[in-house]
Each structure stands twice: as C-alpha cells, then as structure tokens.
Amino acid sequence: MTMDDLERRVVRYWTARSHDFGTVRKNELGSAMGRRWLEELAGHLPQSRTLDILDVGTGTGFFAILMARLGHRVTGIDLTPAMLEEASALAGHLGLNIVFRQMDAQELEFPDESFDVVLSRNLTWTLPEPERAYAQWRRVLRPGGLLLNFDADYAANVRSQSTQNCSVAPDSPYGHVGMTEALVAENNAITLAMDVGQARPEWDVSVLQRLGFADCWTDLAVGRRVLGEADLVNAPMFGIYARK
C-alpha cells in the first residue's frame, strides 16, 4: 500500500467518525478534563503576549478552541474535511475567531517561521511519514518557538487487545462513541500499519534532535494527570516538547 493509499484510508475512517468524535470533544470542552487540558497547555506558554499558534491535526477543534479562549491567534489544520466542518461549526457557536484549513500535516503550506507554537494531539500515530511532519513543524516555527505534541503508542494498545475506552457513553468526555465492529477493526488495522516500530517517545525525541531542535524533553505522566482513569493502561499518553 502506498503512502497516498494510507492517507486516503485515514481520511475515510475519520470522515465516518467525525460526528461522534465531535460529540466527545464537545463533552470534553465542558468537563473537568477540558479544564485540566487548558491549565496544562497554558502552563507551557509565555503569558506576556498574544501568540500565533498552529493546531496540527485539529480534528473538531478542541485544542484550537482552548487556545482561542486564552486570546491567542489560532489556525487549525486537518486532512479530513468532515472534521473541519465540525470544528468550524463549534467555534462559530462559541463565538471564536479561528482559521481552519484543510492541509496535510506532512506538507504544510505556510511560509517559514510563521508560528510561535505548534500544537498536536493524537496525530503522529496516524501519519505515514511522521519524521517528515516533524521537519515541517520545525520549519514553520519561529526561532525560540515551541512544539507541544501529545500522543501515545496506540499500536501497543492494539497489540494488547485491550478494550479500554473502545465503547463509552454518549456523554463521555473521552473515548470512542458510536464504534461498530467494522470501525474498531479499521482503527486497529490503521494503527498497526502506521506503527513506527520503535519505542516512543524515545524515537520522537531522537528524530527531533536530528532535525535540529535545540531542546527536547518528555513528560510520561501527562496522561494520568489530565486524562485520569481514561488514560490507557497499555498506551499511556505522553508529552513531547521541543524548542527551536
């Protein structure tokens, strides 16, 4: 299967899930989990000025909305149009001015040094070429700019055959709503197809250092701190941070 085939497969999957995924993110915004995310992100950002922030793989706009609520200038990109429709509708309902654009996270269309911060959540595991994406994210950061990436080794979770978060109530702030057996099977197949085959986040840090980031560090406790009991036992969320 070619890289283009993989990307088309990912888009089809997230198109099918966009509405239910948006429901969960709306729940999360109004929950204690959403407030913890806001505090977590704000703690990494300089407080003295308005920032230009890029939310890569914005999905239905969760991180973009949190950053806009803090008063920053935010652009959210995603490969799946149905996700962006959900994001635009939600941001409009909340009265927030966020620019949403369809774009490949591995081939950004922005000029060099366009943003102070690049954010991402649960995206790198879906990318056929995550190293190329990291290079693009560094390119669009200004000198001293910050990368904040939150992800997990979801392939390890699939291999464990865990059913944690696979089916949750419609009012849940986290997990999979509306999953059919076919969608679960497709999610698992995509996850294993995208596996980098190396330990994460160690692999990510080695890539970022090779690309020239001046400072890289990780946080292995961010999932437990923010997601609480929803954090996957077999694939806990980690934070990867780097400064250009």
Side-chain angles (χ1 to χ4, degrees), residues 74-131:
V74 186
T75 301
I77 67 164
D78 203 277
L79 193 62
T80 305
M83 286 287 203
L84 293 170
E85 290 173 9
E86 294 278 340
S88 295
L90 182 55
H93 175 73
L94 296 172
L96 297 172
N97 183 23
I98 302 171
V99 176
F100 290 108
R101 295 179 58 181
Q102 183 183 6
M103 197 178 300
D104 188 341
Q106 303 167 128
E107 195 61 48
L108 301 182
E109 299 169 16
F110 304 106
D112 294 354
E113 301 181 3
S114 295
F115 298 97
D116 301 299
V117 178
V118 172
L119 287 175
S120 182
R121 176 189 184 190
N122 289 346
L123 173 69
T124 35
W125 75 270
T126 73
L127 298 176
E129 298 178 274
E131 185 168 351

Side-chain angles (χ1 to χ4, degrees), residues 184-198:
V184 170
E186 182 66 354
N187 174 78
N188 292 349
I190 289 172
T191 303
L192 293 175
M194 300 297 187
D195 185 16
V196 299
Q198 300 187 52

Side-chain angles (χ1 to χ4, degrees), residues 16-37:
R17 286 203 53 206
S18 60
H19 180 71
D20 287 333
F21 188 83
T23 297
V24 173
R25 289 294 177 257
K26 290 174 189 175
N27 297 340
E28 191 176 15
L29 281 170
S31 71
M33 187 183 295
R35 292 189 291 274
R36 290 194 295 270
W37 268 122

Side-chain angles (χ1 to χ4, degrees), residues 155-184:
N157 192 62
V158 171
R159 287 191 292 269
S160 76
Q161 299 184 340
S162 170
T163 59
Q164 184 184 358
N165 297 344
C166 282
S167 180
V168 298
D171 61 350
S172 174
Y174 198 78
H176 297 294
V177 168
M179 292 290 279
T180 63
E181 288 186 10
L183 285 172
V184 170

Side-chain angles (χ1 to χ4, degrees), residues 7 9 42 46 55 65 67 72 79 96 109 113 115 118 130 145 154-156 166 169 184-185 231 237:
E7 285 199 350
R9 188 175 185 179
D55 180 20
I65 286 168
M67 294 298 92
H72 298 300
L79 193 62
L96 297 172
E109 299 169 16
E113 301 181 3
F115 298 97
V118 172
Y154 292 110
C166 282
V184 170
D231 196 30
M237 178 169 283

Side-chain angles (χ1 to χ4, degrees), residues 3 17 22 29-30 43 45 54 82 87 94 96 105 130 133 142-143 146-147 150 182 196 201 216 225 237 239:
M3 295 298 180
R17 286 203 53 206
L29 281 170
L45 305 178
L54 176 64
L94 296 172
L96 297 172
R142 293 171 180 143
L146 184 64
L147 169 65
F150 302 92
V196 299
C216 305
R225 190 166 61 248
M237 178 169 283

